[in-house]
Amino acid sequence: MPNLGTTEIIIIALVVLVLFGSKKLPDAARSFGRSLRIFKAETKGLRDDDHQAPATHQAPATHQAPLPIEAPAQVAAPAQSAQPGVAVNGSAPAADRH
């Protein structure tokens, strides 16, 4: 990466000033600083967690393969009676109804 000279830095500063304006530039810098502090604290917390993890690490649990997804069982429809005069589903046969 090429080195940035004084003129390049001045050009970048002018472009930033034109894009954000002189009134919003301090607020943007303040927000950027807060974001960097939060990011730094989070990365430090992650590093601390990584250093503590091996000390409290337990034996790994046996890994089981996930069960295959199966289609739900089809509920069989009640068999229709082919014999005349025999009730289906507890109702009276059609021939006996008056």
Side-chain angles (χ1 to χ4, degrees):
M1 184 171 151
N3 294 331
L4 292 177
T6 308
T7 53
E8 287 89 3
I9 293 175
I10 291 173
I11 291 172
I12 291 172
L14 287 174
V15 169
V16 169
L17 185 64
V18 168
L19 287 176
F20 291 106
S22 61
K23 300 219 184 229
K24 291 188 179 184
L25 199 56
D27 291 335
R30 195 173 301 118
S31 296
F32 184 69
R34 285 184 192 140
S35 299
L36 283 178
R37 264 186 261 125
I38 291 170
F39 181 74
K40 188 176 181 181
E42 290 296 324
T43 55
K44 183 181 178 204
L46 289 174
R47 269 189 258 125
D48 291 344
D49 288 346
D50 287 344
H51 290 299
Q52 292 174 358
T56 60
H57 191 275
Q58 296 176 355
T62 57
H63 184 269
Q64 296 179 351
L67 297 175
I69 299 175
E70 297 178 6
Q74 297 283 338
V75 177
Q80 298 291 331
S81 176
Q83 300 172 355
V86 176
V88 177
N89 292 336
S91 62
D96 294 339
R97 292 184 192 158
H98 298 278

